[in-house]
Each structure stands twice: as structure tokens, then as C-alpha cells.
Amino acid sequence: MMSEIGTLMVDCLATSYLSRLHPNKAHLEESGDEERAGDSSGSSPSQLILHRAKFKTKTIVIMALFFSLTTPVGIAIGIGIANVYNESSPNALIVEGIFNAASAGILIYMALVDLLAADFMHPKVQSNGALQFGVKVSLLLGAGCMSLLAKWA
């Protein structure tokens, strides 16, 4: 987790440094994103992504079908193996550990890439060194508090 946070911080610092060296280039990239986002105003992000990707209707229907069937199929599998599943067997503990690790990794990735990266790359943060420092310290304090809570769980 610390390596991902470190990578995010270094990326933020490098982007800030490059945007100060080449302010016109950074402004052009920002305005291009705004123009593209403005093409489909009122659309949700997922609709915008599907529109930009130019998926065929058949592909969109198949993706929606798989997305909507994932939970019911998982529930059916759980009900089906409930009678033969032994929680305390070594194999079950290994499988549970692997699934927990994968879930934690996905959660960390989503938090850092989808949620925090946008805040770290915001022009206000990029142009203000003190704000950048405060954001980074707050992230580390939050991660430390969550680790402390995990110690008790």
C-alpha cells in the first residue's frame, strides 16, 4: 500500500513540476478534456466511456448481461456448496485468504486511482506547494489511522 501511495505522490509532484515548466501545454490538455466532456453533457461517466469506446450494441448487451448475472450466480454457487464447505479446513482458509487479499488490492487500487488521483491532479493542488504537502500528509495520516483500526479488527 505504501508503494502505491508513494507512486501517487511522486506522480503528483512530477506533474506539478512539468506543468510549471510548460504551462501552455498543460492548459491545452485541460481545455481539450473539458471540450470532450462537454460533448455529452448530462451523461453519466459510464455512458461517456461507452460512447467514447464505440462499442457495438451486441457487445454492450453482453457486458451488461455478465454484470447483472455476476451476483446471482455467486449466490447460487454459495448455496450449492454450503453443505459441503468446511470453514476450518486448511484449503478453505487459503482460499479465503487469497480472496481477501484480492479484494483488499482492488479496494486500494480503486481508492488511489479512481478517487484520490483526481484530487491530487487538480490544478489548485498542482499550483500550490503548501496545499500539495497538506494533501500528502493527510493521505498518510488517513492510511495510518486505517492501519491502526485494522490492528483491532
Side-chain angles (χ1 to χ4, degrees), residues 95-143:
V95 169
E96 184 178 342
I98 290 171
F99 283 161
N100 285 342
S103 298
I106 291 169
L107 179 65
I108 290 170
Y109 175 81
M110 294 300 291
L112 291 176
V113 173
D114 287 343
L115 301 175
L116 290 176
D119 294 333
F120 271 65
M121 299 304 167
H122 194 276
K124 283 185 181 179
V125 175
Q126 293 291 317
S127 62
N128 188 342
L131 187 59
Q132 225 177 58
F133 179 76
V135 166
K136 291 175 184 176
V137 168
S138 297
L139 175 65
L140 290 175
L141 283 174

Side-chain angles (χ1 to χ4, degrees), residues 13-148:
L13 186 66
T15 305
S16 173
Y17 178 74
L18 287 175
S19 66
R20 279 189 231 128
L21 283 179
H22 307 287
N24 294 337
K25 194 178 243 187
H27 175 68
L28 289 175
E29 290 174 4
E30 289 171 14
S31 65
D33 287 343
E34 290 169 4
E35 287 174 11
R36 278 184 254 132
D39 288 345
S40 57
S41 59
S43 299
S44 71
S46 60
Q47 290 171 337
L48 184 61
I49 290 168
L50 289 174
H51 175 70
R52 283 189 188 169
K54 298 187 186 326
F55 288 120
K56 295 179 182 175
T57 304
K58 180 181 176 184
T59 306
I60 294 172
V61 169
I62 290 172
M63 288 190 300
L65 183 68
F66 277 117
F67 180 78
S68 63
L69 290 178
T70 303
T71 301
V73 168
I75 291 171
I77 291 171
I79 291 171
I81 66 168
N83 293 332
V84 296
Y85 181 71
N86 182 8
E87 293 179 12
S88 58
S89 75
N91 288 340
L93 294 175
I94 290 171
V95 169
E96 184 178 342
I98 290 171
F99 283 161
N100 285 342
S103 298
I106 291 169
L107 179 65
I108 290 170
Y109 175 81
M110 294 300 291
L112 291 176
V113 173
D114 287 343
L115 301 175
L116 290 176
D119 294 333
F120 271 65
M121 299 304 167
H122 194 276
K124 283 185 181 179
V125 175
Q126 293 291 317
S127 62
N128 188 342
L131 187 59
Q132 225 177 58
F133 179 76
V135 166
K136 291 175 184 176
V137 168
S138 297
L139 175 65
L140 290 175
L141 283 174
C145 289
M146 292 303 289
S147 298
L148 187 64

